[in-house]
PDB file of all heavy atoms in Angstrom:
ATOM      1  N   ARG W  15      79.140  88.427 -65.374  1.00 97.00           N
ATOM      2  CA  ARG W  15      78.298  87.404 -64.696  1.00 97.00           C
ATOM      3  C   ARG W  15      77.374  86.826 -65.732  1.00 97.00           C
ATOM      4  O   ARG W  15      76.766  87.539 -66.532  1.00 97.00           O
ATOM      5  CB  ARG W  15      77.461  88.114 -63.599  1.00 97.00           C
ATOM      6  CG  ARG W  15      76.541  87.140 -62.858  1.00 97.00           C
ATOM      7  CD  ARG W  15      75.936  87.895 -61.673  1.00 97.00           C
ATOM      8  NE  ARG W  15      74.962  87.028 -60.883  1.00 97.00           N
ATOM      9  CZ  ARG W  15      73.705  86.881 -61.154  1.00 97.00           C
ATOM     10  NH1 ARG W  15      73.130  87.575 -62.173  1.00 97.00           N
ATOM     11  NH2 ARG W  15      72.906  86.097 -60.518  1.00 97.00           N
ATOM     12  N   ILE W  16      77.136  85.493 -65.706  1.00 96.00           N
ATOM     13  CA  ILE W  16      76.226  84.803 -66.578  1.00 96.00           C
ATOM     14  C   ILE W  16      75.283  83.998 -65.747  1.00 96.00           C
ATOM     15  O   ILE W  16      75.751  83.292 -64.794  1.00 96.00           O
ATOM     16  CB  ILE W  16      76.967  83.919 -67.580  1.00 96.00           C
ATOM     17  CG1 ILE W  16      77.933  84.790 -68.469  1.00 96.00           C
ATOM     18  CG2 ILE W  16      75.991  83.080 -68.368  1.00 96.00           C
ATOM     19  CD1 ILE W  16      78.797  83.914 -69.362  1.00 96.00           C
ATOM     20  N   ASP W  17      74.037  84.103 -65.984  1.00 95.00           N
ATOM     21  CA  ASP W  17      73.035  83.184 -65.281  1.00 95.00           C
ATOM     22  C   ASP W  17      72.030  82.756 -66.324  1.00 95.00           C
ATOM     23  O   ASP W  17      71.140  83.584 -66.767  1.00 95.00           O
ATOM     24  CB  ASP W  17      72.399  83.973 -64.204  1.00 95.00           C
ATOM     25  CG  ASP W  17      71.526  83.065 -63.332  1.00 95.00           C
ATOM     26  OD1 ASP W  17      71.270  81.875 -63.728  1.00 95.00           O
ATOM     27  OD2 ASP W  17      71.015  83.544 -62.291  1.00 95.00           O
ATOM     28  N   GLN W  18      72.187  81.540 -66.877  1.00 91.00           N
ATOM     29  CA  GLN W  18      71.317  81.139 -67.976  1.00 91.00           C
ATOM     30  C   GLN W  18      70.766  79.667 -67.778  1.00 91.00           C
ATOM     31  O   GLN W  18      71.398  78.908 -67.120  1.00 91.00           O
ATOM     32  CB  GLN W  18      72.069  81.224 -69.240  1.00 91.00           C
ATOM     33  CG  GLN W  18      73.176  80.161 -69.414  1.00 91.00           C
ATOM     34  CD  GLN W  18      73.816  80.196 -70.789  1.00 91.00           C
ATOM     35  OE1 GLN W  18      75.060  80.270 -70.807  1.00 91.00           O
ATOM     36  NE2 GLN W  18      73.029  80.201 -71.845  1.00 91.00           N
ATOM     37  N   ASN W  19      69.641  79.449 -68.367  1.00 87.00           N
ATOM     38  CA  ASN W  19      69.105  78.118 -68.475  1.00 87.00           C
ATOM     39  C   ASN W  19      69.498  77.521 -69.841  1.00 87.00           C
ATOM     40  O   ASN W  19      69.051  77.997 -70.866  1.00 87.00           O
ATOM     41  CB  ASN W  19      67.592  78.025 -68.363  1.00 87.00           C
ATOM     42  CG  ASN W  19      67.127  78.421 -66.965  1.00 87.00           C
ATOM     43  OD1 ASN W  19      66.658  79.511 -66.731  1.00 87.00           O
ATOM     44  ND2 ASN W  19      67.359  77.496 -65.991  1.00 87.00           N
ATOM     45  N   THR W  20      70.442  76.626 -69.798  1.00 80.00           N
ATOM     46  CA  THR W  20      71.048  76.148 -71.106  1.00 80.00           C
ATOM     47  C   THR W  20      70.212  75.114 -71.759  1.00 80.00           C
ATOM     48  O   THR W  20      69.477  74.385 -71.102  1.00 80.00           O
ATOM     49  CB  THR W  20      72.513  75.641 -70.814  1.00 80.00           C
ATOM     50  OG1 THR W  20      72.355  74.619 -69.858  1.00 80.00           O
ATOM     51  CG2 THR W  20      73.369  76.711 -70.338  1.00 80.00           C
ATOM     52  N   ALA W  21      70.266  75.000 -73.096  1.00 73.00           N
ATOM     53  CA  ALA W  21      69.610  73.988 -73.859  1.00 73.00           C
ATOM     54  C   ALA W  21      70.288  73.763 -75.193  1.00 73.00           C
ATOM     55  O   ALA W  21      69.710  73.458 -76.120  1.00 73.00           O
ATOM     56  CB  ALA W  21      68.216  74.177 -73.984  1.00 73.00           C
ATOM     57  N   GLY W  22      71.642  74.040 -75.181  1.00 63.00           N
ATOM     58  CA  GLY W  22      72.360  74.014 -76.457  1.00 63.00           C
ATOM     59  C   GLY W  22      72.301  72.670 -77.266  1.00 63.00           C
ATOM     60  O   GLY W  22      72.417  72.692 -78.427  1.00 63.00           O
ATOM     61  N   ALA W  23      72.128  71.592 -76.486  1.00 61.00           N
ATOM     62  CA  ALA W  23      72.158  70.286 -77.179  1.00 61.00           C
ATOM     63  C   ALA W  23      70.819  69.527 -77.058  1.00 61.00           C
ATOM     64  O   ALA W  23      70.647  68.384 -77.252  1.00 61.00           O
ATOM     65  CB  ALA W  23      73.255  69.313 -76.586  1.00 61.00           C
ATOM     66  N   SER W  24      69.737  70.350 -76.731  1.00 66.00           N
ATOM     67  CA  SER W  24      68.421  69.799 -76.512  1.00 66.00           C
ATOM     68  C   SER W  24      67.735  69.769 -77.917  1.00 66.00           C
ATOM     69  O   SER W  24      67.163  70.776 -78.339  1.00 66.00           O
ATOM     70  CB  SER W  24      67.655  70.667 -75.504  1.00 66.00           C
ATOM     71  OG  SER W  24      66.331  70.146 -75.399  1.00 66.00           O
ATOM     72  N   LEU W  25      67.846  68.639 -78.601  1.00 77.00           N
ATOM     73  CA  LEU W  25      67.298  68.583 -79.951  1.00 77.00           C
ATOM     74  C   LEU W  25      65.811  68.463 -79.882  1.00 77.00           C
ATOM     75  O   LEU W  25      65.199  67.636 -79.245  1.00 77.00           O
ATOM     76  CB  LEU W  25      67.899  67.367 -80.639  1.00 77.00           C
ATOM     77  CG  LEU W  25      69.386  67.278 -80.759  1.00 77.00           C
ATOM     78  CD1 LEU W  25      69.849  66.050 -81.446  1.00 77.00           C
ATOM     79  CD2 LEU W  25      69.940  68.501 -81.487  1.00 77.00           C
ATOM     80  N   LEU W  26      65.108  69.326 -80.707  1.00 85.00           N
ATOM     81  CA  LEU W  26      63.616  69.254 -80.753  1.00 85.00           C
ATOM     82  C   LEU W  26      63.082  68.289 -81.733  1.00 85.00           C
ATOM     83  O   LEU W  26      63.668  68.109 -82.782  1.00 85.00           O
ATOM     84  CB  LEU W  26      63.053  70.641 -81.032  1.00 85.00           C
ATOM     85  CG  LEU W  26      63.351  71.796 -80.050  1.00 85.00           C
ATOM     86  CD1 LEU W  26      62.855  73.123 -80.617  1.00 85.00           C
ATOM     87  CD2 LEU W  26      62.679  71.447 -78.695  1.00 85.00           C
ATOM     88  N   GLY W  27      61.990  67.609 -81.386  1.00 86.00           N
ATOM     89  CA  GLY W  27      61.288  66.823 -82.438  1.00 86.00           C
ATOM     90  C   GLY W  27      60.680  67.718 -83.444  1.00 86.00           C
ATOM     91  O   GLY W  27      60.489  68.982 -83.270  1.00 86.00           O
ATOM     92  N   GLU W  28      60.387  67.156 -84.647  1.00 91.00           N
ATOM     93  CA  GLU W  28      59.967  67.945 -85.770  1.00 91.00           C
ATOM     94  C   GLU W  28      58.637  68.783 -85.387  1.00 91.00           C
ATOM     95  O   GLU W  28      58.497  69.936 -85.755  1.00 91.00           O
ATOM     96  CB  GLU W  28      59.746  67.124 -87.040  1.00 91.00           C
ATOM     97  CG  GLU W  28      59.341  67.957 -88.230  1.00 91.00           C
ATOM     98  CD  GLU W  28      59.202  67.120 -89.537  1.00 91.00           C
ATOM     99  OE1 GLU W  28      59.477  65.881 -89.447  1.00 91.00           O
ATOM    100  OE2 GLU W  28      58.790  67.712 -90.551  1.00 91.00           O
ATOM    101  N   GLU W  29      57.739  68.071 -84.796  1.00 92.00           N
ATOM    102  CA  GLU W  29      56.442  68.734 -84.423  1.00 92.00           C
ATOM    103  C   GLU W  29      56.642  69.948 -83.556  1.00 92.00           C
ATOM    104  O   GLU W  29      56.148  71.027 -83.754  1.00 92.00           O
ATOM    105  CB  GLU W  29      55.494  67.760 -83.786  1.00 92.00           C
ATOM    106  CG  GLU W  29      54.166  68.265 -83.444  1.00 92.00           C
ATOM    107  CD  GLU W  29      53.269  67.321 -82.845  1.00 92.00           C
ATOM    108  OE1 GLU W  29      53.552  66.100 -82.907  1.00 92.00           O
ATOM    109  OE2 GLU W  29      52.237  67.694 -82.229  1.00 92.00           O
ATOM    110  N   ASP W  30      57.498  69.732 -82.474  1.00 90.00           N
ATOM    111  CA  ASP W  30      57.820  70.885 -81.562  1.00 90.00           C
ATOM    112  C   ASP W  30      58.637  71.984 -82.296  1.00 90.00           C
ATOM    113  O   ASP W  30      58.444  73.153 -82.045  1.00 90.00           O
ATOM    114  CB  ASP W  30      58.550  70.416 -80.354  1.00 90.00           C
ATOM    115  CG  ASP W  30      57.649  69.555 -79.426  1.00 90.00           C
ATOM    116  OD1 ASP W  30      56.481  69.911 -79.375  1.00 90.00           O
ATOM    117  OD2 ASP W  30      58.178  68.664 -78.816  1.00 90.00           O
ATOM    118  N   TYR W  31      59.530  71.531 -83.172  1.00 89.00           N
ATOM    119  CA  TYR W  31      60.347  72.579 -83.936  1.00 89.00           C
ATOM    120  C   TYR W  31      59.499  73.470 -84.753  1.00 89.00           C
ATOM    121  O   TYR W  31      59.674  74.666 -84.801  1.00 89.00           O
ATOM    122  CB  TYR W  31      61.339  71.843 -84.797  1.00 89.00           C
ATOM    123  CG  TYR W  31      62.086  72.726 -85.659  1.00 89.00           C
ATOM    124  CD1 TYR W  31      63.156  73.440 -85.208  1.00 89.00           C
ATOM    125  CD2 TYR W  31      61.823  72.759 -87.069  1.00 89.00           C
ATOM    126  CE1 TYR W  31      63.836  74.311 -86.078  1.00 89.00           C
ATOM    127  CE2 TYR W  31      62.567  73.600 -87.885  1.00 89.00           C
ATOM    128  CZ  TYR W  31      63.576  74.368 -87.333  1.00 89.00           C
ATOM    129  OH  TYR W  31      64.228  75.216 -88.213  1.00 89.00           O
ATOM    130  N   ARG W  32      58.419  72.891 -85.401  1.00 94.00           N
ATOM    131  CA  ARG W  32      57.598  73.677 -86.225  1.00 94.00           C
ATOM    132  C   ARG W  32      56.550  74.557 -85.449  1.00 94.00           C
ATOM    133  O   ARG W  32      56.256  75.654 -85.738  1.00 94.00           O
ATOM    134  CB  ARG W  32      56.823  72.867 -87.242  1.00 94.00           C
ATOM    135  CG  ARG W  32      57.833  72.189 -88.171  1.00 94.00           C
ATOM    136  CD  ARG W  32      57.085  71.465 -89.311  1.00 94.00           C
ATOM    137  NE  ARG W  32      57.998  70.711 -90.214  1.00 94.00           N
ATOM    138  CZ  ARG W  32      58.692  71.383 -91.159  1.00 94.00           C
ATOM    139  NH1 ARG W  32      58.548  72.656 -91.324  1.00 94.00           N
ATOM    140  NH2 ARG W  32      59.511  70.652 -91.959  1.00 94.00           N
ATOM    141  N   ALA W  33      56.079  73.899 -84.294  1.00 94.00           N
ATOM    142  CA  ALA W  33      54.934  74.604 -83.512  1.00 94.00           C
ATOM    143  C   ALA W  33      55.557  75.460 -82.438  1.00 94.00           C
ATOM    144  O   ALA W  33      54.922  76.554 -82.163  1.00 94.00           O
ATOM    145  CB  ALA W  33      54.042  73.544 -82.998  1.00 94.00           C
ATOM    146  N   ARG W  34      56.528  75.025 -81.673  1.00 89.00           N
ATOM    147  CA  ARG W  34      57.013  75.791 -80.542  1.00 89.00           C
ATOM    148  C   ARG W  34      58.662  75.698 -80.554  1.00 89.00           C
ATOM    149  O   ARG W  34      59.245  75.034 -79.717  1.00 89.00           O
ATOM    150  CB  ARG W  34      56.554  75.169 -79.233  1.00 89.00           C
ATOM    151  CG  ARG W  34      55.001  75.162 -79.144  1.00 89.00           C
ATOM    152  CD  ARG W  34      54.648  74.651 -77.716  1.00 89.00           C
ATOM    153  NE  ARG W  34      54.844  73.176 -77.612  1.00 89.00           N
ATOM    154  CZ  ARG W  34      54.736  72.549 -76.495  1.00 89.00           C
ATOM    155  NH1 ARG W  34      54.438  73.177 -75.344  1.00 89.00           N
ATOM    156  NH2 ARG W  34      55.043  71.219 -76.420  1.00 89.00           N
ATOM    157  N   PRO W  35      59.255  76.473 -81.433  1.00 87.00           N
ATOM    158  CA  PRO W  35      60.702  76.371 -81.582  1.00 87.00           C
ATOM    159  C   PRO W  35      61.445  76.804 -80.388  1.00 87.00           C
ATOM    160  O   PRO W  35      62.643  76.610 -80.217  1.00 87.00           O
ATOM    161  CB  PRO W  35      61.020  77.154 -82.809  1.00 87.00           C
ATOM    162  CG  PRO W  35      59.845  78.124 -82.951  1.00 87.00           C
ATOM    163  CD  PRO W  35      58.636  77.351 -82.419  1.00 87.00           C
ATOM    164  N   GLU W  36      60.708  77.629 -79.513  1.00 86.00           N
ATOM    165  CA  GLU W  36      61.404  78.121 -78.251  1.00 86.00           C
ATOM    166  C   GLU W  36      61.375  77.139 -77.145  1.00 86.00           C
ATOM    167  O   GLU W  36      61.872  77.421 -76.036  1.00 86.00           O
ATOM    168  CB  GLU W  36      60.788  79.460 -77.890  1.00 86.00           C
ATOM    169  CG  GLU W  36      59.390  79.360 -77.144  1.00 86.00           C
ATOM    170  CD  GLU W  36      58.229  79.016 -78.055  1.00 86.00           C
ATOM    171  OE1 GLU W  36      58.514  78.978 -79.277  1.00 86.00           O
ATOM    172  OE2 GLU W  36      57.089  78.777 -77.588  1.00 86.00           O
ATOM    173  N   LEU W  37      60.754  75.951 -77.282  1.00 87.00           N
ATOM    174  CA  LEU W  37      60.577  74.976 -76.199  1.00 87.00           C
ATOM    175  C   LEU W  37      61.908  74.492 -75.705  1.00 87.00           C
ATOM    176  O   LEU W  37      62.799  74.205 -76.528  1.00 87.00           O
ATOM    177  CB  LEU W  37      59.707  73.780 -76.710  1.00 87.00           C
ATOM    178  CG  LEU W  37      59.399  72.764 -75.735  1.00 87.00           C
ATOM    179  CD1 LEU W  37      58.497  73.355 -74.581  1.00 87.00           C
ATOM    180  CD2 LEU W  37      58.657  71.584 -76.352  1.00 87.00           C
ATOM    181  N   ASN W  38      62.077  74.378 -74.446  1.00 89.00           N
ATOM    182  CA  ASN W  38      63.276  73.872 -73.754  1.00 89.00           C
ATOM    183  C   ASN W  38      62.955  72.516 -73.185  1.00 89.00           C
ATOM    184  O   ASN W  38      62.174  72.473 -72.212  1.00 89.00           O
ATOM    185  CB  ASN W  38      63.741  74.843 -72.753  1.00 89.00           C
ATOM    186  CG  ASN W  38      65.113  74.489 -72.092  1.00 89.00           C
ATOM    187  OD1 ASN W  38      65.630  73.361 -72.356  1.00 89.00           O
ATOM    188  ND2 ASN W  38      65.653  75.330 -71.272  1.00 89.00           N
ATOM    189  N   TYR W  39      63.560  71.438 -73.680  1.00 90.00           N
ATOM    190  CA  TYR W  39      63.373  70.090 -73.098  1.00 90.00           C
ATOM    191  C   TYR W  39      64.029  69.892 -71.750  1.00 90.00           C
ATOM    192  O   TYR W  39      63.811  68.969 -71.063  1.00 90.00           O
ATOM    193  CB  TYR W  39      63.831  69.035 -74.070  1.00 90.00           C
ATOM    194  CG  TYR W  39      62.960  68.793 -75.295  1.00 90.00           C
ATOM    195  CD1 TYR W  39      63.498  68.052 -76.364  1.00 90.00           C
ATOM    196  CD2 TYR W  39      61.678  69.250 -75.299  1.00 90.00           C
ATOM    197  CE1 TYR W  39      62.703  67.842 -77.448  1.00 90.00           C
ATOM    198  CE2 TYR W  39      60.825  69.056 -76.462  1.00 90.00           C
ATOM    199  CZ  TYR W  39      61.297  68.361 -77.515  1.00 90.00           C
ATOM    200  OH  TYR W  39      60.590  68.105 -78.571  1.00 90.00           O
ATOM    201  N   ALA W  40      64.980  70.818 -71.441  1.00 91.00           N
ATOM    202  CA  ALA W  40      65.770  70.651 -70.164  1.00 91.00           C
ATOM    203  C   ALA W  40      65.774  71.970 -69.415  1.00 91.00           C
ATOM    204  O   ALA W  40      66.893  72.602 -69.191  1.00 91.00           O
ATOM    205  CB  ALA W  40      67.193  70.285 -70.550  1.00 91.00           C
ATOM    206  N   PRO W  41      64.604  72.396 -68.886  1.00 91.00           N
ATOM    207  CA  PRO W  41      64.645  73.724 -68.156  1.00 91.00           C
ATOM    208  C   PRO W  41      65.310  73.635 -66.801  1.00 91.00           C
ATOM    209  O   PRO W  41      65.619  74.632 -66.201  1.00 91.00           O
ATOM    210  CB  PRO W  41      63.105  73.963 -67.972  1.00 91.00           C
ATOM    211  CG  PRO W  41      62.474  72.551 -67.999  1.00 91.00           C
ATOM    212  CD  PRO W  41      63.289  71.851 -69.061  1.00 91.00           C
ATOM    213  N   ILE W  42      65.695  72.381 -66.355  1.00 94.00           N
ATOM    214  CA  ILE W  42      66.379  72.310 -65.059  1.00 94.00           C
ATOM    215  C   ILE W  42      67.865  72.518 -65.264  1.00 94.00           C
ATOM    216  O   ILE W  42      68.581  72.720 -64.316  1.00 94.00           O
ATOM    217  CB  ILE W  42      66.178  70.880 -64.452  1.00 94.00           C
ATOM    218  CG1 ILE W  42      66.726  69.810 -65.370  1.00 94.00           C
ATOM    219  CG2 ILE W  42      64.708  70.649 -64.128  1.00 94.00           C
ATOM    220  CD1 ILE W  42      66.741  68.407 -64.741  1.00 94.00           C
ATOM    221  N   SER W  43      68.361  72.584 -66.486  1.00 94.00           N
ATOM    222  CA  SER W  43      69.841  72.750 -66.698  1.00 94.00           C
ATOM    223  C   SER W  43      70.105  74.193 -66.454  1.00 94.00           C
ATOM    224  O   SER W  43      69.269  75.155 -66.595  1.00 94.00           O
ATOM    225  CB  SER W  43      70.188  72.427 -68.070  1.00 94.00           C
ATOM    226  OG  SER W  43      69.498  73.216 -69.035  1.00 94.00           O
ATOM    227  N   TYR W  44      71.337  74.513 -66.142  1.00 95.00           N
ATOM    228  CA  TYR W  44      71.804  75.904 -65.818  1.00 95.00           C
ATOM    229  C   TYR W  44      73.291  76.047 -65.963  1.00 95.00           C
ATOM    230  O   TYR W  44      74.076  75.114 -65.980  1.00 95.00           O
ATOM    231  CB  TYR W  44      71.366  76.315 -64.410  1.00 95.00           C
ATOM    232  CG  TYR W  44      71.998  75.525 -63.355  1.00 95.00           C
ATOM    233  CD1 TYR W  44      73.191  75.700 -62.835  1.00 95.00           C
ATOM    234  CD2 TYR W  44      71.116  74.464 -62.751  1.00 95.00           C
ATOM    235  CE1 TYR W  44      73.744  74.913 -61.841  1.00 95.00           C
ATOM    236  CE2 TYR W  44      71.706  73.726 -61.690  1.00 95.00           C
ATOM    237  CZ  TYR W  44      73.008  73.887 -61.261  1.00 95.00           C
ATOM    238  OH  TYR W  44      73.520  73.143 -60.285  1.00 95.00           O
ATOM    239  N   ARG W  45      73.750  77.280 -66.107  1.00 95.00           N
ATOM    240  CA  ARG W  45      75.098  77.656 -66.149  1.00 95.00           C
ATOM    241  C   ARG W  45      75.172  78.977 -65.489  1.00 95.00           C
ATOM    242  O   ARG W  45      74.646  80.001 -65.906  1.00 95.00           O
ATOM    243  CB  ARG W  45      75.684  77.734 -67.543  1.00 95.00           C
ATOM    244  CG  ARG W  45      77.133  78.082 -67.677  1.00 95.00           C
ATOM    245  CD  ARG W  45      77.626  78.444 -68.986  1.00 95.00           C
ATOM    246  NE  ARG W  45      77.322  77.393 -70.012  1.00 95.00           N
ATOM    247  CZ  ARG W  45      78.041  76.424 -70.344  1.00 95.00           C
ATOM    248  NH1 ARG W  45      79.258  76.360 -69.759  1.00 95.00           N
ATOM    249  NH2 ARG W  45      77.772  75.639 -71.194  1.00 95.00           N
ATOM    250  N   ARG W  46      75.935  79.097 -64.357  1.00 97.00           N
ATOM    251  CA  ARG W  46      76.103  80.305 -63.618  1.00 97.00           C
ATOM    252  C   ARG W  46      77.656  80.586 -63.449  1.00 97.00           C
ATOM    253  O   ARG W  46      78.356  79.837 -62.868  1.00 97.00           O
ATOM    254  CB  ARG W  46      75.463  80.201 -62.225  1.00 97.00           C
ATOM    255  CG  ARG W  46      73.960  79.906 -62.299  1.00 97.00           C
ATOM    256  CD  ARG W  46      73.281  79.846 -60.960  1.00 97.00           C
ATOM    257  NE  ARG W  46      71.978  79.358 -61.143  1.00 97.00           N
ATOM    258  CZ  ARG W  46      71.494  78.242 -60.555  1.00 97.00           C
ATOM    259  NH1 ARG W  46      72.285  77.429 -59.849  1.00 97.00           N
ATOM    260  NH2 ARG W  46      70.212  77.843 -60.740  1.00 97.00           N
ATOM    261  N   VAL W  47      78.032  81.648 -64.049  1.00 97.00           N
ATOM    262  CA  VAL W  47      79.476  82.036 -64.193  1.00 97.00           C
ATOM    263  C   VAL W  47      79.740  83.365 -63.526  1.00 97.00           C
ATOM    264  O   VAL W  47      78.986  84.261 -63.800  1.00 97.00           O
ATOM    265  CB  VAL W  47      79.981  81.955 -65.635  1.00 97.00           C
ATOM    266  CG1 VAL W  47      81.414  82.314 -65.726  1.00 97.00           C
ATOM    267  CG2 VAL W  47      79.701  80.655 -66.204  1.00 97.00           C
ATOM    268  N   GLY W  48      80.817  83.463 -62.808  1.00 98.00           N
ATOM    269  CA  GLY W  48      81.371  84.721 -62.344  1.00 98.00           C
ATOM    270  C   GLY W  48      82.794  84.839 -62.688  1.00 98.00           C
ATOM    271  O   GLY W  48      83.577  83.868 -62.571  1.00 98.00           O
ATOM    272  N   ALA W  49      83.254  86.018 -63.182  1.00 98.00           N
ATOM    273  CA  ALA W  49      84.534  86.237 -63.599  1.00 98.00           C
ATOM    274  C   ALA W  49      85.047  87.615 -63.279  1.00 98.00           C
ATOM    275  O   ALA W  49      84.268  88.559 -63.470  1.00 98.00           O
ATOM    276  CB  ALA W  49      84.779  85.905 -65.150  1.00 98.00           C
ATOM    277  N   LEU W  50      86.262  87.720 -62.859  1.00 98.00           N
ATOM    278  CA  LEU W  50      86.885  88.999 -62.517  1.00 98.00           C
ATOM    279  C   LEU W  50      88.281  89.031 -63.053  1.00 98.00           C
ATOM    280  O   LEU W  50      89.035  88.109 -62.902  1.00 98.00           O
ATOM    281  CB  LEU W  50      86.896  89.269 -61.033  1.00 98.00           C
ATOM    282  CG  LEU W  50      87.574  90.518 -60.505  1.00 98.00           C
ATOM    283  CD1 LEU W  50      86.772  91.732 -60.961  1.00 98.00           C
ATOM    284  CD2 LEU W  50      87.701  90.480 -58.968  1.00 98.00           C
ATOM    285  N   ARG W  51      88.697  90.122 -63.730  1.00 97.00           N
ATOM    286  CA  ARG W  51      90.034  90.303 -64.204  1.00 97.00           C
ATOM    287  C   ARG W  51      90.624  91.609 -63.747  1.00 97.00           C
ATOM    288  O   ARG W  51      89.977  92.603 -63.823  1.00 97.00           O
ATOM    289  CB  ARG W  51      90.002  90.310 -65.834  1.00 97.00           C
ATOM    290  CG  ARG W  51      89.358  89.091 -66.392  1.00 97.00           C
ATOM    291  CD  ARG W  51      90.256  87.860 -66.343  1.00 97.00           C
ATOM    292  NE  ARG W  51      89.701  86.729 -67.027  1.00 97.00           N
ATOM    293  CZ  ARG W  51      88.977  85.777 -66.450  1.00 97.00           C
ATOM    294  NH1 ARG W  51      88.684  85.966 -65.139  1.00 97.00           N
ATOM    295  NH2 ARG W  51      88.525  84.728 -67.123  1.00 97.00           N
ATOM    296  N   LEU W  52      91.841  91.510 -63.174  1.00 98.00           N
ATOM    297  CA  LEU W  52      92.505  92.734 -62.799  1.00 98.00           C
ATOM    298  C   LEU W  52      93.946  92.606 -63.360  1.00 98.00           C
ATOM    299  O   LEU W  52      94.639  91.596 -63.285  1.00 98.00           O
ATOM    300  CB  LEU W  52      92.582  92.778 -61.217  1.00 98.00           C
ATOM    301  CG  LEU W  52      91.310  92.920 -60.513  1.00 98.00           C
ATOM    302  CD1 LEU W  52      91.554  92.780 -58.984  1.00 98.00           C
ATOM    303  CD2 LEU W  52      90.642  94.248 -60.853  1.00 98.00           C
ATOM    304  N   SER W  53      94.446  93.704 -63.888  1.00 98.00           N
ATOM    305  CA  SER W  53      95.833  93.791 -64.379  1.00 98.00           C
ATOM    306  C   SER W  53      96.359  95.178 -64.398  1.00 98.00           C
ATOM    307  O   SER W  53      95.571  96.128 -64.421  1.00 98.00           O
ATOM    308  CB  SER W  53      95.862  93.140 -65.783  1.00 98.00           C
ATOM    309  OG  SER W  53      95.269  93.927 -66.742  1.00 98.00           O
TER     310      SER W  53
END
């Protein structure tokens, strides 16, 4: 199971990159995955 707020392509401006590198410009984005394997 995966439940994450994604921001893989959210490019930070230089000022934010230096001061707040953890900032997420897209906190509304998400990825929720469920997977089951039986064999």
Side-chain angles (χ1 to χ4, degrees):
R15 180 175 179 269
I16 298 173
D17 189 353
Q18 70 177 127
N19 291 105
T20 54
S24 180
L25 304 179
L26 293 177
E28 182 177 358
E29 181 179 344
D30 288 328
Y31 173 75
R32 296 187 181 280
R34 296 185 295 170
E36 76 285 355
L37 184 63
N38 185 353
Y39 286 164
I42 61 173
S43 65
Y44 59 80
R45 182 193 304 269
R46 302 181 186 117
V47 178
L50 177 67
R51 303 284 185 269
L52 297 172
S53 68

